[in-house]
């Protein structure tokens, strides 16, 4: 009797292990995706592999494709990023983050009308979305509606004092008015929030160079290298600067 009970217990335990190992493709894809999101900041290359593994399990997984778009963005592969974002929206038209990022790409490329269309679509999906507000502020800035851009950026900072993009908008507005000291102060606040924001560093370097502050340029490069030691492009740019000097 005891033997039968032990055997039953063993069979139940073995069956449980077998069932636990029988994950569906969707469940496996989700695990790969979750691992990719955990690695996206610390190891983008490994994260990319995890997203690709997720897509092996589930070909049409919008979130995994969006993960690949985020990697392409980090690697400044804008053509790949653009294609991946469009693929996400083909599969899931109401994907809010992809909608906004595509709008940002259109704006960076100078296509303001398409950027506006993406912003309008994003507002329809969620009216109070902070990145959408930042896209709208950037469009205002592009079209020289400076007061509107500042209003939107300040409204975002009231909700989220750690929003680096809002500081970037405010710094850009001050720069447009030739108020360089205020622009630099705002950029420093933004960098304090997001120490790996390459765009802010290079914007600051551009302003310092134009004002002849070469010591400031050098210290900014040094700060950027300390914050992003893995970025070889930054080291190369710093070497070019030193060579010119």
């Amino acid at each position: 009797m005891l033997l039968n009970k032990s055997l039953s217990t063993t069979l139940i335990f073995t069956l449980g292990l077998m069932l636990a190992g029988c994950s569906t493709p969707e469940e496996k894809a989700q695990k790969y995706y979750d691992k990719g999101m955990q690695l996206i900041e610390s190891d983008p290359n490994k994260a990319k592999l995890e997203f690709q593994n997720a897509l092996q399990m589930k070909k049409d997984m919008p979130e995994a494709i969006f993960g690949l778009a985020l990697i392409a963005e980090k690697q400044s592969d804008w053509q790949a990023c653009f294609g991946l974002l469009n693929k996400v929206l083909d599969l899931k038209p109401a994907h809010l983050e992809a909608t906004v990022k595509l709008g940002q790409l259109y704006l960076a490329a100078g296509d303001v009308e398409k950027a506006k269309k993406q912003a309008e679509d994003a507002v329809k999906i969620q009216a109070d979305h902070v990145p959408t507000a930042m896209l709208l502020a950037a469009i205002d800035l592009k079209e020289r509606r400076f007061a509107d851009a500042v209003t939107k950026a300040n409204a975002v900072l009231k909700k989220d004092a750690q929003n680096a993009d809002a500081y970037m908008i405010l710094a850009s507005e001050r720069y447009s008015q030739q108020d360089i000291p205020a622009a630099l102060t705002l950029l420093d606040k933004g960098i304090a929030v997001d120490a790996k924001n390459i765009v802010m560093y290079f914007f600051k370097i551009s302003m310092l160079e134009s004002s002849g502050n070469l010591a400031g340029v050098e210290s900014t490069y040094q700060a950027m290298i300390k914050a992003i030691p893995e970025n070889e492009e930054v080291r190369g740019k710093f070497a070019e600067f030193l060579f010119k000097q």
Side-chain angles (χ1 to χ4, degrees):
M1 190 73 170
L2 182 61
L3 181 64
N4 287 340
K5 186 175 181 182
S6 298
L7 182 62
S8 298
T9 302
T10 301
L11 287 172
I12 290 169
F13 181 70
T14 303
L15 181 60
L17 288 177
M18 289 173 64
L19 290 173
C22 295
S23 300
T24 66
E26 289 77 10
E27 288 171 337
K28 289 179 181 178
Q30 187 63 42
K31 287 179 182 177
Y32 283 127
Y33 167 76
D34 291 340
K35 185 67 178 295
M37 291 306 294
Q38 290 170 10
L39 292 168
I40 199 165
E41 294 297 335
S42 60
D43 196 336
N45 290 325
K46 283 186 179 178
K48 184 176 182 178
L49 290 174
E50 296 296 336
F51 294 136
Q52 289 170 337
N53 287 335
L55 291 168
Q56 289 287 331
M57 294 293 104
K58 187 179 178 184
K59 288 183 179 180
D60 297 334
M61 185 179 183
E63 294 303 333
I65 298 169
F66 183 68
L68 291 176
L70 293 178
I71 300 295
E73 180 185 34
K74 284 181 176 296
Q75 297 172 340
S76 300
D77 188 346
W78 306 116
Q79 186 173 355
C81 186
F82 181 81
L84 289 162
L85 290 173
N86 274 294
K87 190 172 181 181
V88 172
L89 293 174
D90 285 342
L91 294 169
K92 187 178 177 182
H95 194 292
L96 182 57
E97 290 79 10
T99 301
V100 174
K101 282 205 174 289
L102 191 57
Q104 292 169 344
L105 288 187
Y106 278 131
L107 187 61
D111 196 333
V112 179
E113 292 308 311
K114 286 185 178 178
K116 284 182 181 178
K117 174 64 169 59
Q118 293 302 124
E120 289 168 4
D121 289 346
V123 170
K124 289 175 186 174
I125 298 168
Q126 183 178 323
D128 60 345
H129 185 235
V130 167
T132 303
M134 287 292 88
L135 175 57
L136 290 166
I139 291 169
D140 286 337
L141 203 62
K142 184 76 172 178
E143 297 191 326
R144 304 186 67 80
R145 292 191 299 273
F146 298 122
D148 291 341
V150 168
T151 298
K152 288 183 176 71
N154 282 326
V156 165
L157 286 173
K158 284 183 179 178
K159 294 180 181 177
D160 176 15
Q162 301 298 302
N163 191 289
D165 289 338
Y167 287 114
M168 183 70 172
I169 292 289
L170 295 174
S172 299
E173 185 276 334
R174 285 294 81 205
Y175 179 68
S176 73
Q177 304 303 313
Q178 297 302 304
D179 187 353
I180 305 301
L184 289 170
T185 298
L186 288 161
L187 282 177
D188 284 339
K189 288 182 178 180
I191 290 169
V193 167
D194 183 3
K196 293 180 179 288
N197 194 313
I198 291 178
V199 175
M200 282 194 173
Y201 282 112
F202 278 115
F203 189 15
K204 182 179 178 180
I205 285 168
S206 175
M207 277 192 271
L208 290 168
E209 278 185 323
S210 65
S211 60
N213 187 348
L214 299 182
V217 172
E218 184 171 348
S219 64
T220 302
Y221 267 119
Q222 289 170 342
M224 183 162 40
I225 289 170
K226 185 177 180 180
I228 323 167
E230 71 279 4
N231 193 306
E232 295 297 328
E233 182 183 358
V234 170
R235 291 179 179 275
K237 292 283 187 185
F238 186 35
E240 286 177 20
F241 166 76
L242 292 175
F243 181 75
K244 287 177 183 177
Q245 303 313 312

